[in-house]
Structures are given as structure tokens and as C-alpha cells.
Amino acid sequence: EPEVTQTPSHQVTQMGQEVILRCVPISNHLYFYWYRQILGQKVEFLVSFYNNEISEKSEIFDDQFSVERPDGSNFTLKIRSTKLEDSAMYFCASSVGGVGNEQFFGPGTRLTVL
Amino acid sequence: GENVEQHPSTLSVQEGDSAVIKCTYSDSASNYFPWYKQELGKGPQLIIDIRSNVGEKKDQRIAVTLNKTAKHFSLHITETQPEDSAVYFCAASRGNQFYFGTGTSLTVIP
């Protein structure tokens, strides 16, 4: 069964450093998402991406964040200058369609900012 | 924006009993309500969903009910099994953005 994959599974970085989290969505999916889950808290929406542009973003997704689909298969989340409060589990998801379609989630990348 | 509340945060049931998890939402425009199961070390996986034009949906031992007037929806798991033990999240959406509840840790005691 096709699945969303994410790398790395765990990333440790120093505050102020840039990190890139990588995702490979399911191959025939057209919509891509990033969510984060701070330990013990809700899963929170960050951004959705369709047709090579951001379609929706939350207030969490500020100028420190960017997304890219660099090569037609990968979908990346970049955090330019990490802060301690960026420590969280980051989930990538993809779906065939947009509104009202099932989103398939990857296993997540645990980001630890020291 | 949308606010989704989920109760209880933890739930323990004996194997074979039923489990019920409840969620409320605030945005009356929300029209899609998925339920996800998250096992340790894995991402959330959809187990059932319901749209706002339907009041109830069932899939084997799992059912979801939706009350649009009261803005609440519930997950019902019957004949629980130890493999049902996981964290369950409800969500609400009206666009591409999902708003998740805080999760319910379900433990099924053999």
C-alpha cells in the first residue's frame, strides 16, 4: 500500500540553525501539507500546498518557514533560524483532492532544538 | 478560526466493551470530520470520516455520529480489542486545513 515517507525520523539542531525536513508524498497525490505536534499538545496545521504554491497557511507559518517541491517527488519544509519552541513532531500529509479528502500522514520527524 | 475540543483525554475499557469519544467544534461552516488513530511511533491514520450531510456512518465495529445543530460528533468503537489501544484524534475542516482535537489515549485491557 502506498504511504507517505519522511526523513529524517529525528533531527537535533542548535538554536539559530536552519533545518530542512523532507517528505515523499504518495505519488498520485496533488495536495501536500505540513502539521506539527508539540509534545502533549494538539496536532496543528502549518501549510497546504497545491500546484506549486501555498494554498493555505496558519499563523504559525511565519517568515521563518518555507515549503518547496524541488523535484516533483519530494516536498520539503525549511525552518530558517530554529527556535527552542520549534521543537516538535512534524508530520507531512498528502491527499488526492483538496477539500473533504482523506489526508494520508507520514510517520513524522521529531525535531529537537537545543 | 475553528476550535475542536475532545473528551476524554484518557479512556480505559475492558476488552469486549464499547468505547465512546466525543468532540465538539465551533465553526458551523465545518463540513468534514475525520477520525484518526495514532499508534506509537507512527503518523495518524484515518479510521472513519463523516461529512456534514450525513448524521451517522458505520464501518464494522466503528461508527461516527454527527449532530450539526449541537456541533458535536462522536466515535463509537464496539467489541473493543487490545489492538484498538492507541491515541485517537478527531478533526474538523471546511477547507484544506484540519483542526484537530487534543487526542484520547484509549487502553483496552485484556
Side-chain angles (χ1 to χ4, degrees):
Chain A
E1 187 174 325
E3 58 183 17
V4 176
T5 59
Q6 289 185 242
T7 54
S9 57
H10 192 190
Q11 173 95 44
V12 181
T13 190
Q14 294 289 327
M15 188 171 57
Q17 295 296 304
E18 174 184 287
V19 294
I20 298 175
L21 309 183
R22 302 180 192 279
C23 168
V24 178
I26 294 173
S27 61
N28 64 331
H29 287 188
L30 300 177
Y31 292 78
F32 315 111
Y33 314 86
W34 283 101
Y35 290 82
R36 79 172 185 190
Q37 185 179 27
I38 295 171
L39 191 63
Q41 298 186 24
K42 292 184 180 187
V43 176
E44 300 172 292
F45 171 81
L46 294 178
V47 66
S48 62
F49 190 86
Y50 170 71
N51 200 26
N52 283 318
E53 61 183 28
I54 291 172
S55 50
E56 287 184 61
K57 61 180 181 178
S58 69
E59 59 270 19
I60 303 169
F61 194 87
D62 61 21
D63 291 344
Q64 292 297 314
F65 292 89
S66 63
V67 289
E68 192 178 30
R69 188 154 162 81
D71 57 13
S73 62
N74 289 284
F75 179 51
T76 61
L77 175 70
K78 182 193 290 186
I79 309 175
R80 287 190 185 80
S81 178
T82 50
K83 304 186 285 281
L84 295 176
E85 53 266 37
D86 293 328
S87 294
M89 181 73 91
Y90 288 81
F91 293 106
C92 172
S94 69
S95 62
V96 172
V99 175
N101 274 259
E102 177 183 355
Q103 295 182 15
F104 291 79
F105 282 74
T109 292
R110 179 166 298 285
L111 176 64
T112 302
V113 182
L114 303 175
Chain B
E2 175 68 279
N3 182 43
V4 177
E5 300 287 338
Q6 183 172 347
H7 300 280
S9 56
T10 59
L11 179 60
S12 291
V13 298
Q14 289 292 135
E15 182 177 357
D17 287 351
S18 295
V20 180
I21 302 171
K22 298 182 179 182
C23 288
T24 61
Y25 62 99
S26 60
D27 188 349
S28 57
S30 289
N31 56 16
Y32 177 64
F33 306 91
W35 284 89
Y36 282 83
K37 175 183 181 182
Q38 186 177 22
E39 296 175 322
L40 200 62
K42 297 183 179 180
Q45 291 198 309
L46 181 80
I47 55 171
I48 196 167
D49 56 10
I50 192 167
R51 300 177 198 281
S52 59
N53 59 346
V54 175
E56 184 174 356
K57 184 176 177 180
K58 190 172 181 181
D59 182 4
Q60 299 181 354
R61 296 187 297 109
I62 296 172
V64 57
T65 59
L66 171 65
N67 183 326
K68 283 192 300 181
T69 304
K71 295 204 279 289
H72 65 71
F73 56 115
S74 300
L75 177 71
H76 305 252
I77 305 174
T78 58
E79 301 171 28
T80 53
Q81 300 165 3
E83 50 266 38
D84 293 331
S85 296
V87 178
Y88 292 81
F89 292 95
C90 64
S93 81
R94 62 182 175 99
N96 292 323
Q97 182 173 163
F98 282 8
Y99 295 87
F100 282 87
T102 46
T104 296
S105 178
L106 173 65
T107 302
V108 180
I109 304 164

